[in-house]
Amino acid sequence: MSLKKTNLSAYNPTTIPDAKKFIVGIVVSEWNHEVTSVLLEGATSTLLEHGVKKQNIIIEWVPGSFELPLAAQLLVDRTDVDAVICLGCVIQGETRHFDFICSAVSEGIMDVNLTYTLPVIFGVLTTNTQEQALERAGGKHGNKGVESAVAALKMMHLQDKYPD
Ligand code: DLZ
């Protein structure tokens, strides 16, 4: 059986236990808002569907994807979140900004995961074109926000299995 996912929104909901006790942070980038707002919608609706209470979803907007790791760390460090979902969209341009932002964000997010032993989810699209990004923000390839919420739900349950 191939493990390659053809649609980012496709998952088996029965594999996810109820999540009503969890508090989830979402940090989301203002850059490429037309894309990131759809990722946010996909992530929040998926969390709500699995029992996370609306008042237990903390949403913070940041200027760009580069700022996501610090915002995630602020939530992990200063609130009671069980996981943070980082949502952004970096689109290849004419300069090397793309490479610097992508590597800084992915390494920064991994750092927060491992420093705090808490799930911090990489929900950042890194694409060559805006069209490719839109295809993954509610388009033909599904919604990266849904996939990110599912990853957060699974990781919070894993974390729960191994308390301090
Ligand atoms: C500057 C910049 C550029 C060129 N492109 C993007 C992008 O495609 N996606 C994104 O989320 N942010 C971009 N930014 C902004 C940076 O992430 C950051 O907000 C600024 O460099 C300020 O630190």
Side-chain angles (χ1 to χ4, degrees):
M1 185 182 76
S2 167
L3 288 177
K4 190 162 178 265
K5 278 184 82 170
T6 52
N7 189 301
L8 295 164
S9 302
Y11 70 102
N12 180 355
T14 61
T15 60
I16 300 182
D18 185 80
K20 63 172 161 296
K21 68 177 181 180
F22 293 128
I23 303 173
V24 183
I26 303 179
V27 291
V28 51
S29 161
E30 287 166 5
W31 259 82
N32 297 314
H33 183 271
E34 65 284 14
V35 174
T36 60
S37 57
V38 182
L39 302 184
L40 178 60
E41 154 59 25
T44 46
S45 59
T46 305
L47 295 175
L48 292 169
E49 271 165 35
H50 288 281
V52 180
K53 298 191 182 93
K54 196 172 178 199
Q55 65 269 27
N56 287 340
I57 302 176
I58 302 169
I59 299 170
E60 295 294 348
W61 286 87
V62 296
S65 293
F66 189 81
E67 283 72 38
L68 290 171
L70 175 59
Q73 184 163 314
L74 278 170
L75 293 189
V76 171
D77 204 29
R78 311 212 176 146
T79 74
D80 289 328
V81 288
D82 297 293
V84 179
I85 300 169
C86 301
L87 299 176
C89 171
V90 193
I91 299 175
Q92 177 80 275
E94 288 178 357
T95 68
R96 293 194 59 212
H97 242 95
F98 179 82
D99 302 316
F100 290 121
I101 294 173
C102 291
S103 61
V105 177
S106 56
E107 284 165 27
I109 290 174
M110 182 50 81
D111 263 7
V112 187
N113 270 279
L114 299 183
T115 303
Y116 289 88
T117 322
L118 205 89
V120 182
I121 306 301
F122 184 74
V124 181
L125 289 170
T126 57
T127 61
N128 290 324
T129 64
Q130 189 188 40
E131 189 189 356
Q132 289 172 341
L134 290 167
E135 285 171 354
R136 290 157 180 81
K140 70 177 180 188
H141 294 304
N143 188 329
K144 182 83 180 164
V146 173
E147 184 205 46
S148 302
V150 171
L153 290 161
K154 289 181 175 173
M155 291 305 292
M156 288 188 295
H157 284 292
L158 180 64
Q159 183 100 351
D160 226 25
K161 267 173 70 180
Y162 299 97
D164 281 340

